[in-house]
Amino acid sequence: MSSPRPRIPEATVARLAVYLRVLAGLADGGRSNVSSGELASAAGVNPAGLRKDLSHLGPCGIRGVGYEVATLRDRIARVLGVERSRPCVLVGIGNLGTALADYAGFGSRGFRFVGLFDAAPARVGQRIGGQPVRPMTELAEVVAATGATIGVVATPADVAQSVCDRLTAAGVRSILNFAPVALSAPDGVDVRQVDLSVELQVLAFLGQQRGTTVEVTA
Amino acid sequence: MSSPRPRIPEATVARLAVYLRVLAGLADGGRSNVSSGELASAAGVNPAGLRKDLSHLGPCGIRGVGYEVATLRDRIARVLGVERSRPCVLVGIGNLGTALADYAGFGSRGFRFVGLFDAAPARVGQRIGGQPVRPMTELAEVVAATGATIGVVATPADVAQSVCDRLTAAGVRSILNFAPVALSAPDGVDVRQVDLSVELQVLAFLGQQRGTTVEVTA
DNA sequence: GCGACTTTGTTCCTGCGTTCACAAGCGGTT
DNA sequence: AACCGCTTGTGAACGCAGGAACAAAGTCGC
């Protein structure tokens, strides 16, 4: 009703997550106040842009002083919807999947894996980070029981679409995909793609361009 | 000189890498021709946008027919600078680093790891994907000997900046950073950040927004 | 040989994101 | 109590990316 929340640009949301991480670190370090300049420097962005990002949350700083670390952290966390830990499921417990399941950073950022799944019988039953790997047959059951709305796909490319279908059928609404394929999901389901080799190739291009600024050997 | 190559937008470069992957798959499947519509569908983008991206390479299609798969693939690979395999070094052989070192996808995308490094003595000497983990003291030597220009950082956040400094000092010009900190590098060095928890938090926000379109329980 | 269809390459336009620069507000000081 | 410096928040301009529509060009069928 009285929520002045027209919409927050997606690029801003991504940066808010970065600010949140920096603020959490500052709070742990005992800091109570920060200026936009210092925060922007730590996050690697422009100070004016940071203030504009924060303006989407309404006024949350004190002019002449700066921002209160704990207050700003909590407000960003609430806006992002990570004040409470969110249940996620992870499919594909290969090298990357194992790394993700073990990554402690997720736990402190408002996410917890409530189910690890793999199609290979050899993987099922292994324990990773204190959790057992389950067979794919239990996917729908676990999603329903835990209310998980986020699924992470770390499978080979050839089965990623099939896994995506099963996740959405089970009720997952958001998917983070590490497999190098474009997934198609029904309307109402958000898919984000993380492609590691694309990142490397962009770097390769930038590096090459730096070497051959305009000159090209025809 | 006669190179009509003013500049290619970075967003286009990232999509070119995706097209390259799709084209490689089509070529492996025996396909010889593709239309922009089909290619765009497989890459998950708009057909008109795809044609605009490709127009940066100069005319490379045949009107009324489409694109020749092998030709287009090779041209994109040449523009991205991945026609020949590029040597990379990887620092931080934890769970994620091991997954990256083992990931076969890099090899087929024009990248090979010529050095795996870790500061922990317990890790040094282990073999991963046929390569030994080396101590950090050998970093500069290996970079110089192999001519590696790309470094991947998969260390904990608190040492990432120090690793970045050592990489740049050794001559690395491009850095892909998985640690959740903003790295500062000298001018002339490109840094790309991949932050897994940021991706999850964006998903969480989008999912939450979907639930509470305008209504908020105050 | 000619026409029609298909598909590319390009152009325009709309909207978004980013940056710069200024006004408003608060704390500390005299 | 009034002034001064510092920092936030906002308004405007610039540049870029994305999408739709149109023209050029080549192929297939007759």
Side-chain angles (χ1 to χ4, degrees):
Chain A
M1 281 275 204
S2 60
S3 51
R5 207 164 297 184
R7 68 173 176 277
I8 301 183
E10 194 168 313
T12 293
V13 173
R15 284 189 296 267
L16 284 176
V18 176
Y19 308 153
L20 177 59
R21 186 219 302 145
V22 175
L23 287 166
L26 289 174
D28 289 349
R31 286 288 297 274
S32 60
N33 283 39
V34 224
S35 69
S36 67
E38 189 179 358
L39 196 53
S41 169
V45 300
N46 186 297
L50 180 139
R51 291 199 295 273
K52 177 158 286 197
D53 286 339
L54 262 44
S55 73
H56 288 103
L57 319 178
C60 45
I62 304 173
R63 297 177 191 233
V65 178
Y67 300 91
E68 198 179 345
V69 172
T71 306
L72 185 56
R73 164 172 58 87
D74 294 344
R75 188 186 294 209
I76 294 180
R78 185 161 53 247
V79 169
L80 292 182
V82 292
E83 21 170 11
R84 293 288 173 275
S85 170
R86 287 180 170 255
C88 311
V89 294
L90 171 60
V91 182
I93 316 295
N95 285 309
L96 179 59
T98 305
L100 294 173
D102 259 340
Y103 179 39
F106 290 141
S108 60
R109 297 274 168 280
F111 302 95
R112 66 176 195 279
F113 288 117
V114 297
L116 312 178
F117 300 90
D118 201 295
R123 293 264 180 202
V124 173
Q126 288 184 359
R127 299 191 74 84
I128 295 173
Q131 275 191 76
V133 177
R134 304 171 183 275
M136 288 297 289
T137 49
E138 298 180 11
L139 179 64
E141 177 191 342
V142 170
V143 169
T146 60
T149 55
I150 298 180
V152 179
V153 178
T155 66
D158 52 354
V159 297
Q161 182 62 58
S162 136
V163 167
C164 171
D165 296 341
R166 296 186 66 169
L167 282 170
T168 54
V172 165
R173 306 288 292 273
S174 305
I175 292 179
L176 182 59
N177 177 37
F178 288 90
V181 267
L183 296 182
S184 72
D187 286 352
V189 175
D190 295 310
V191 177
R192 277 184 87 81
Q193 177 86 18
V194 176
D195 196 313
L196 306 180
S197 49
V198 165
E199 301 294 330
L200 276 180
Q201 285 175 335
V202 172
L203 274 180
F205 173 79
L206 295 176
Q208 169 186 263
Q209 208 180 30
R210 205 168 280 285
T212 68
T213 319
V214 180
E215 62 188 4
V216 174
T217 348
Chain B
M1 284 268 204
S2 59
S3 51
R5 207 164 296 185
R7 66 173 176 278
I8 301 182
E10 193 169 313
T12 292
V13 173
R15 283 189 298 268
L16 285 176
V18 177
Y19 308 153
L20 177 59
R21 186 218 305 146
V22 175
L23 287 165
L26 290 174
D28 290 349
R31 287 287 299 275
S32 60
N33 283 42
V34 226
S35 69
S36 66
E38 189 178 357
L39 196 53
S41 170
V45 301
N46 185 295
L50 181 140
R51 292 199 296 272
K52 176 171 290 192
D53 287 339
L54 262 45
S55 73
H56 288 103
L57 319 179
C60 47
I62 305 173
R63 297 175 191 235
V65 178
Y67 300 91
E68 198 179 346
V69 172
T71 306
L72 186 56
R73 165 173 56 87
D74 294 344
R75 187 183 298 209
I76 294 180
R78 185 162 53 249
V79 169
L80 292 182
V82 292
E83 20 170 13
R84 293 286 174 276
S85 172
R86 287 181 168 255
C88 311
V89 294
L90 170 60
V91 182
I93 316 296
N95 284 309
L96 179 59
T98 304
L100 295 173
D102 259 339
Y103 179 40
F106 290 140
S108 59
R109 298 274 168 279
F111 302 95
R112 65 176 195 279
F113 288 117
V114 297
L116 313 179
F117 299 90
D118 202 295
R123 294 261 180 205
V124 173
Q126 288 185 359
R127 297 192 74 85
I128 295 174
Q131 275 192 76
V133 177
R134 304 172 183 274
M136 289 295 291
T137 49
E138 298 179 11
L139 179 66
E141 175 191 344
V142 170
V143 169
T146 59
T149 56
I150 297 179
V152 178
V153 177
T155 65
D158 52 353
V159 298
Q161 182 61 58
S162 135
V163 167
C164 171
D165 296 341
R166 295 187 66 167
L167 283 169
T168 55
V172 165
R173 305 290 290 272
S174 306
I175 292 179
L176 181 58
N177 177 37
F178 288 89
V181 267
L183 295 182
S184 73
D187 286 352
V189 175
D190 295 310
V191 177
R192 277 183 88 81
Q193 177 84 20
V194 176
D195 195 314
L196 306 179
S197 49
V198 165
E199 300 294 331
L200 276 181
Q201 286 176 334
V202 172
L203 274 181
F205 173 79
L206 295 175
Q208 168 187 263
Q209 209 179 30
R210 207 169 278 285
T212 68
T213 320
V214 180
E215 62 188 3
V216 173
T217 347

